[in-house]
Amino acid sequence: MVKTPDRRKASKAGSTGTTMDALVSLAKRRGFVYPGSDIYGGLANAWDYGPLGAELKNNIKRLWWERFVHRHDDIVGLDAAIIMNPKVWAASGHLSGFADQLVDCRNCKERFRADHVGADHIGTDAACPNCGKKGAFTKPRKFNLMFKTFIGPAEDEAHVAYLRPETAQGMFVDYKQVLDSTRVKLPFGMAQIGKAFRNEITPGNFIFRTREFEQMEIEYFFAPPASDAAWQEIFEQWRAEILAWIKQVGIDPARVHEVEVGDGERAHYSKRTVDFEFDFPFGQEELYGLAYRTNFDLSAHGKASNEQLTYTDPETKQSFVPHCIEPSMGLDRTLLALLVSAYRQDGERVYLALPPAVAPYKAAVFPLLRNKPELIKKARAVYEALRKDFYVMWDDRGNIGKRYYAQDEIGTPVGLTVDFDTLKDDTVTWRDRDTAGQERVKVSELAARLSKLISGASD
Ligand code: ATP
């Protein structure tokens, strides 16, 4: 998309109940997110998802795919290539317009996005956020955010290619093939999850703004609307869908703000854009976007490719270029908002109140004591049986209290302890992460109870 000015919000640090320092430290210590290329001194703003981060990410993606593709019989999935024909980016407007204005501070040599420091207009005397000097910014310069590479051995203009800066274009480019190879009928949507790359001028705030990130996007196509009310109705449906997703995935809805993007700030093709912003510890910032892109993209690609990117109504036989509404959701920002929403401190105890459906492990199995072979044997049997259907963890280190705390910190919803009573009555202690409450549950009922918990069904 063509970049539009960023609406900075007053920072509300602390309002989310956790600090970034606490989150980043937990994420690193427990294997959610590591600094990238760490043994080589790192690479600024590059992050790696560790074992638990990879689980969390996959669970979010699976839930999203189930919700928007499998449960919508009007939406089909897609997995397009990251490197596309460069003509795609000429037609979409990215080559000419996907740029931010950047300024340098002549005093301290730091570089900023002009709209982030109030230096959009030449002659501004805005102060540098780094050194505080006023009026030291250079004239804003346009900087294209697409990553360039070369196809094949020749590094010349004829072989230039780009890493996609958004997943959306794959869906427009494959529109005709999807139409011809499936049974979709308008209105219908395409959904895609995948990596996108932007050479951001000022990445930062942990995984909030990075140069390599993942998007979960939908293009929802419909016939040219007869009135404003017609497209507004579809837009409202998608607003509700996004809010329902936010709740389902475990992002605190009380921290989400819908912001109507004004006329001067929207991308030129968008007739309406609503940003869903979230109270991050560093301030209120964009989480997701929803835009009515009209028929701009299919028209532009149709014209540039000489292909008919149209739809023929099976009844009226009329042909037209469909319009589309785009919900666009960042996966990494989802994960960050989820961690912020789930973080709880209860005295000494820190726990992540993640919904069981997204939590990396669904349960942890503990033998009460590690030096009692009969307990180990029984606990292993419980663990092996559950492992067939759920991602569960085995832990026999340290004392039981420490094991519970360790699981709390990674958001495991249930701790299951095998003790001497288990050998007599085949029950285990079921310990709830959020309340720390304990009860006895029959081994034969564990799988059904865990399933219920994960699906969100009440007991
Ligand atoms: P911003 O104003 O924060 O730069 P944008 O308006 O350019 O974001 P879009 O082009 O609408 O973002 O991208 C859709 C979604 O992709 C965003 O809502 C966000 O969740 C995610 N996203 C965009 N850029 C990044 C990035 N650099 N790092 C992580 N996620 C991103």
Side-chain angles (χ1 to χ4, degrees):
M1 69 182 276
V2 176
K3 303 293 287 182
T4 53
D6 184 276
R7 283 154 292 109
R8 293 278 107 179
K9 300 293 171 315
S11 173
K12 291 187 190 155
S15 65
T16 59
T18 180
T19 61
M20 283 308 287
D21 284 351
L23 265 192
V24 174
S25 148
L26 185 149
K28 183 175 175 192
R29 189 160 29 88
R30 304 311 307 269
F32 283 97
V33 184
Y34 305 129
S37 308
D38 199 43
I39 60 167
Y40 289 103
L43 175 70
N45 302 296
W47 300 96
D48 295 342
Y49 288 87
L52 294 187
E55 291 298 329
L56 191 53
K57 234 176 155 185
N58 283 338
N59 290 345
I60 296 169
K61 288 198 259 191
R62 191 179 35 75
L63 218 59
W64 190 91
W65 197 262
E66 271 169 16
R67 180 182 189 99
F68 292 111
V69 181
H70 292 179
R71 304 234 171 98
H72 268 270
D73 55 9
D74 55 348
I75 298 183
V76 293
L78 193 76
D79 187 2
I82 286 173
I83 298 177
M84 304 176 79
N85 188 318
K87 287 178 185 165
V88 170
W89 309 113
S92 67
H94 283 81
L95 268 181
S96 56
F98 193 65
D100 276 338
Q101 302 277 347
L102 71 82
V103 289
D104 293 299
C105 172
R106 288 196 200 89
N107 188 44
C108 70
K109 313 289 177 222
E110 274 291 316
R111 183 161 286 176
F112 302 95
R113 231 169 88 169
D115 57 318
H116 283 185
V117 293
D120 301 60
H121 309 292
I122 304 161
T124 179
D125 65 349
C128 170
N130 188 47
C131 69
K133 181 125 175 129
K134 280 190 165 181
F137 288 125
T138 56
K139 239 166 79 172
R141 275 176 295 137
K142 231 172 143 190
F143 173 72
N144 194 295
L145 299 181
M146 282 199 294
F147 272 101
K148 237 184 198 179
T149 187
F150 300 94
I151 293 179
E155 296 196 359
D156 55 32
E157 273 306 304
H159 297 88
V160 165
Y162 301 91
L163 304 188
R164 68 179 175 203
E166 60 177 29
T167 60
Q169 296 305 320
M171 296 185 264
F172 298 123
V173 170
D174 283 346
Y175 164 82
K176 193 171 180 314
Q177 302 199 84
V178 168
L179 206 60
D180 292 348
S181 62
T182 71
R183 300 169 65 93
V184 290
K185 281 209 182 106
L186 280 188
F188 75 90
M190 284 188 223
Q192 179 162 225
I193 300 176
K195 289 259 181 180
F197 304 82
R198 297 182 188 179
N199 202 356
E200 298 273 6
I201 298 166
T202 45
N205 286 326
F206 194 35
I207 53 171
F208 174 79
R209 187 182 302 285
T210 50
R211 296 194 168 105
E212 173 182 344
F213 54 97
E214 262 179 284
Q215 291 185 314
M216 308 182 287
E217 294 195 301
I218 296 165
E219 302 303 331
Y220 196 76
F221 299 102
F222 49 92
S227 62
D228 279 348
W231 67 260
Q232 270 159 359
E233 194 186 326
I234 305 172
F235 198 92
E236 289 307 318
Q237 282 165 7
W238 278 106
R239 256 174 93 163
E241 283 270 8
I242 291 177
L243 290 173
W245 158 254
I246 282 172
K247 225 171 133 205
Q248 181 190 2
V249 77
I251 293 173
D252 181 359
R255 290 176 176 149
V256 175
H257 311 275
E258 289 180 69
V259 178
E260 196 72 49
V261 181
D263 285 348
E265 292 182 280
R266 280 195 309 271
H268 62 89
Y269 52 74
S270 172
K271 222 165 160 179
R272 184 177 178 198
T273 299
V274 169
D275 280 349
F276 292 75
E277 299 186 341
F278 180 82
D279 290 326
F280 290 99
F282 44 84
Q284 184 180 319
E285 296 282 351
E286 177 174 330
L287 173 66
Y288 299 150
L290 176 64
Y292 170 31
R293 296 178 77 123
T294 68
N295 62 0
F296 171 83
D297 305 271
L298 286 183
S299 298
H301 286 302
K303 214 166 140 199
S305 66
N306 268 327
E307 285 280 351
Q308 295 280 319
L309 302 187
T310 53
Y311 181 85
T312 304
D313 188 297
E315 267 132 52
T316 65
K317 309 291 175 216
Q318 275 183 321
S319 286
F320 49 79
V321 180
H323 285 227
C324 95
I325 280 176
E326 176 194 73
S328 180
M329 311 182 209
L331 175 57
D332 311 75
R333 287 186 193 178
T334 303
L335 196 143
L336 183 56
L338 187 54
L339 289 179
V340 172
S341 301
Y343 191 93
R344 302 275 189 289
Q345 179 124 31
D346 174 13
E348 287 283 281
R349 190 168 88 92
V350 167
Y351 65 101
L352 291 183
L354 296 170
V358 294
Y361 292 109
K362 307 310 175 194
V365 179
F366 316 117
L368 182 65
L369 300 168
R370 62 184 304 185
N371 55 358
K372 297 284 176 201
E374 63 274 36
L375 283 188
I376 300 282
K377 192 171 165 214
K378 180 66 187 170
R380 276 313 286 189
V382 170
Y383 169 71
E384 294 297 343
L386 290 177
R387 212 153 73 94
K388 292 194 181 95
D389 298 310
F390 309 96
Y391 194 47
V392 289
M393 192 183 176
W394 169 264
D395 191 1
D396 60 6
R397 300 160 306 160
N399 72 43
I400 200 79
K402 277 197 180 141
R403 289 184 232 163
Y404 283 149
Y405 271 37
Q407 293 302 320
D408 286 344
E409 243 197 349
I410 61 172
T412 308
V414 181
L416 302 170
T417 304
V418 171
D419 55 21
F420 292 106
D421 283 344
T422 314
L423 304 178
K424 286 185 238 150
D425 61 8
D426 219 33
T427 63
V428 298
T429 301
W430 171 292
R431 190 258 192 190
D432 181 274
R433 172 197 66 199
D434 298 349
T435 64
Q438 303 188 3
E439 60 183 304
R440 299 296 293 190
V441 174
K442 277 202 156 69
V443 169
S444 59
E445 288 168 11
L446 288 177
R449 260 188 86 150
L450 273 180
S451 289
K452 253 188 178 173
L453 189 74
I454 295 162
S455 69
S458 58
D459 207 30

